[in-house]
């Protein structure tokens, strides 16, 4: 049995989803040979605590559920900043789960860099550091002999990165197409039932899929961040966000949706990456009319999907959740298993 000591930065939806998995799936995880100990949690408003023997995930969840500060739990130290937590917790793995900022990547990038410099493996579901700084962070991890787990940054726990990066690494992937934003796919599905855009968006907000300011989703920035991650991690590119041709779904009208339906086609916000014979990588996010026979055409609601076009296997498509606290919490567990199995 391998014990891994974890420090969590951020204890919001994903941190709590991960704690829930550790609480409820302990037998399964032990059977896989892993003993996960959360030795530190640092959260801006929920409090920061450190306990070298580890906290019970159930106690952490109960405290947050009751709206009580984590700092009311028995702990050896309290009130540490994220940086103090990274430097002083002695954890083997930093799990970085703070807010995504696709403009600066901070503060998460600073946390990831510091943890690698301090000799910790890092797992993050935060797109900011990965979309903006992956090549440099991966180089640092490699130089230190450490792993950087990023499964949850694309399609949450649906294993798109491990499928593309490990299992299909020798299959000659030359093109990747995906529905990588659940909010816009939900909106487009609703528009197909006759709802105008504004009504479909309001429904997505009501269901908690879309934020009060939906720009990041509906204008394609979130999907573009994921395209950069796929390009740089799986295709060895060094693209930046500004190099992605990006168009959102806000200009699609009910008439556009109907005319596609009449032709037996469906509009989808497609994130696409293609290697040209000259080795150039063409990357885009744009609304695309797909024929019904296309593997991504039937993916409805908030579900995500990705198709890898390969030289040896043809098309390989993976469909699954792209968000959610348990689904994204699972991404952390799958990265941990990959690190400890290696
Ligand atoms: N939720 C999903 O389905 C999903 C899917 C894929 C990827 N992600 C990504 O995963 C990350 C976490 O998502 P989430 O849904 O858990 O977000 P969340 O519910 O907003 O939680 C983020 C937590 O991080 C804390 N935080 C922010 N900055 C911090 C700092 N400097 N130091 C310590 N704590 C800090 C926040 O504290 P306070 O709120 O207490 O201030 C909050 O509790 C995000 O980057 C998100 O984009 C989420």
């Amino acid at each position: 049995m391998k014990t891994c000591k974890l420090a969590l930065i951020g204890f919001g939806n994903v941190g709590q989803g991960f704690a829930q998995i550790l609480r409820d799936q302990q037998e399964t995880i032990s059977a896989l040979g892993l003993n996960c100990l959360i030795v530190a949690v640092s959260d801006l408003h929920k409090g920061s605590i450190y306990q070298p023997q580890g906290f019970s995930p159930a106690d952490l969840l109960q405290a947050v559920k009751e709206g009580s500060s984590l700092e009311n739990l028995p702990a050896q130290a309290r009130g540490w900043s994220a940086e103090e937590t990274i430097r002083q917790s002695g954890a083997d793995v930093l799990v970085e789960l703070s807010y995504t900022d696709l403009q600066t990547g901070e503060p998460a990038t600073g946390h990831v860099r510091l943890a690698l410099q301090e000799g910790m493996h890092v797992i993050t579901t935060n797109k900011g550091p990965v979309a903006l700084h992956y090549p440099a962070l991966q180089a640092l991890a490699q130089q230190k002999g450490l792993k950087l787990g990023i499964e949850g940054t694309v399609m949450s726990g649906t294993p798109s990165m491990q499928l593309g990066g490990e299992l299909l690494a020798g299959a000659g992937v030359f093109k990747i197409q995906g529905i990588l934003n659940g909010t816009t796919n939900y909106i487009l599905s609703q528009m197909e039932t006759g709802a105008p855009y504004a009504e479909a968006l309001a429904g997505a907000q009501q269901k908690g899929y879309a934020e009060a300011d939906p720009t990041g989703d509906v204008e394609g920035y979130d999907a573009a961040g994921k395209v950069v991650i796929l390009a740089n991690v799986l295709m060895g590119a060094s693209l930046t966000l500004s190099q992605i041709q990006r168009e959102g779904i806000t200009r699609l009208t009910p008439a556009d949706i109907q005319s596609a339906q009449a032709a037996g086609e469906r509009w989808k916000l497609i994130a696409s990456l293609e290697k040209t014979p000259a080795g150039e990588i063409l990357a885009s996010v744009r609304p695309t009319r797909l024929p019904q026979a296309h593997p991504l055409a039937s993916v409805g609601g908030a579900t995500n999907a990705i198709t890898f076009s390969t030289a040896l296997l043809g098309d390989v498509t993976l469909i699954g959740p792209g968000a959610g606290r348990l689904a994204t919490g699972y991404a952390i567990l799958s990265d941990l298993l990959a690190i400890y199995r290696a």
Side-chain angles (χ1 to χ4, degrees):
M1 180 79 74
K2 290 175 182 162
T3 295
C4 61
K5 291 186 278 173
L6 308 171
L8 272 55
I9 305 294
F11 199 60
N13 286 305
V14 177
Q16 290 170 50
F18 177 58
Q20 206 174 321
I21 292 171
L22 294 188
R23 182 192 66 190
D24 299 342
Q25 306 297 326
Q26 208 190 341
E27 257 180 56
T28 308
I29 298 169
S30 297
L32 292 167
L34 204 55
N35 173 33
C36 299
L37 282 185
I38 300 179
V39 298
V41 180
S42 177
D43 187 281
L44 276 187
H45 294 105
K46 297 178 192 78
S48 289
I49 44 176
Y50 163 68
Q51 178 70 280
Q53 294 81 29
F55 293 100
S56 138
D59 289 349
L60 295 171
L61 289 164
Q62 189 61 28
V64 173
K65 192 172 163 199
E66 288 168 357
S68 145
S69 168
L70 291 173
E71 295 183 13
N72 291 330
L73 291 172
Q76 184 168 310
R78 296 181 173 77
W80 283 352
S81 65
E83 288 73 16
E84 286 168 323
T85 301
I86 295 165
R87 287 188 201 280
Q88 298 178 48
S89 63
D92 306 307
V93 183
L94 173 75
V95 183
E96 215 297 337
L97 308 171
S98 67
Y99 309 129
T100 288
D101 181 334
L102 275 178
Q103 239 113 52
T104 68
E106 297 298 344
T109 304
H111 299 158
V112 172
R113 195 182 294 119
L114 178 61
L116 292 171
Q117 283 162 348
E118 294 285 314
M120 302 161 80
H121 300 293
V122 174
I123 293 173
T124 187
T125 61
N126 188 325
K127 285 176 291 297
V130 190
L132 299 176
H133 304 292
Y134 178 78
L137 293 173
Q138 177 56 19
L140 177 59
Q142 235 161 8
Q143 181 202 329
K144 296 271 185 182
L146 297 164
K147 298 277 183 203
L148 178 56
I150 57 161
E151 183 61 71
T153 59
V154 179
M155 288 176 74
S156 71
T158 306
S160 56
M161 302 307 295
Q162 289 187 41
L163 176 61
E166 303 289 331
L167 306 178
L168 296 178
V173 174
F174 58 88
K175 184 168 151 189
I176 302 175
Q177 282 189 306
I179 294 173
L180 303 180
N181 181 272
T183 307
T184 44
N185 205 48
Y186 175 83
I187 292 173
L188 293 176
S189 298
Q190 289 303 106
M191 287 177 77
E192 285 178 339
T193 67
Y197 170 77
E199 191 183 313
L201 170 61
Q205 284 168 327
Q206 227 167 24
K207 283 192 167 279
Y209 296 147
E211 314 228 345
D213 175 2
T215 313
D217 289 327
V218 298
E219 296 295 357
Y221 291 103
D222 171 75
K226 292 166 181 169
V227 167
V228 171
I229 294 173
L230 290 168
N232 295 357
V233 178
L234 301 184
M235 288 184 165
S238 315
L239 293 186
T240 60
L241 267 172
S242 62
Q243 290 171 290
I244 311 298
Q245 295 174 33
R246 178 190 47 78
E247 186 187 333
I249 61 164
T250 50
R251 278 188 281 173
L252 283 181
T253 64
D256 294 328
I257 303 284
Q258 281 158 16
S259 80
Q261 280 176 316
E265 297 183 345
R266 298 184 82 179
W267 282 102
K268 294 289 174 193
L269 184 65
I270 295 298
S272 174
L273 275 169
E274 191 163 2
K275 242 187 226 168
T276 67
E280 197 191 350
I281 291 180
L282 305 176
S284 63
V285 172
R286 65 166 67 97
T288 307
R289 265 172 78 152
L290 298 182
Q292 292 286 4
H294 191 284
L296 300 179
S298 59
V299 177
T303 302
N304 281 198
I306 192 164
T307 297
F308 296 92
S309 298
T310 74
L312 297 183
L313 300 173
D315 284 355
V316 176
T317 298
L318 177 70
I319 302 176
R325 55 194 273 163
L326 275 186
T328 315
Y330 177 71
I332 301 168
L333 179 59
S334 75
D335 275 337
L336 267 178
L337 287 169
I339 291 172
Y340 278 83
R341 283 177 164 167

